Amino acid sequence: VMPNNVLSEKLLNYHCKTASLEDAMNIVKKAYETDKIDLKEYLNHVRTLSKKQCKTIIKVRKLMTATQP
């Protein structure tokens, strides 16, 4: 996928980042379910990844509201 302008490129990058963070959370969940990490470590990872994902979603919303007439 090739973005047509700078806005489209930023939105695509933010979408990819959000999706990759979701994938990372799923991997951490599987590691916890198979007892490769303990509960405390699982929660720390999910919290960190969730914060990053939330910040990215906020950036998308700001970008979308700033570009609407």
Side-chain angles (χ1 to χ4, degrees):
V1 176
M2 296 296 292
N4 293 335
N5 54 39
V6 176
L7 175 63
S8 297
E9 184 176 357
K10 284 183 181 182
L11 287 173
L12 181 61
N13 286 339
Y14 288 146
H15 176 73
C16 291
K17 185 173 182 179
T18 302
S20 68
L21 290 166
E22 188 71 33
D23 291 343
M25 283 189 265
N26 286 331
I27 290 169
V28 171
K29 180 181 175 185
K30 287 180 183 177
Y32 172 69
E33 288 173 348
T34 57
D35 294 327
K36 294 184 178 176
I37 59 174
D38 62 356
L39 179 62
K40 183 178 179 182
E41 192 174 359
Y42 167 72
L43 293 175
N44 285 335
H45 285 299
V46 169
R47 182 174 182 213
T48 302
L49 293 168
S50 296
K51 279 184 182 180
K52 289 179 182 180
Q53 187 179 38
C54 185
K55 287 178 183 180
T56 304
I57 292 170
I58 290 169
K59 288 178 184 178
V60 168
R61 289 184 181 168
K62 284 182 182 179
L63 190 62
M64 293 302 292
T65 56
T67 58
Q68 292 189 0

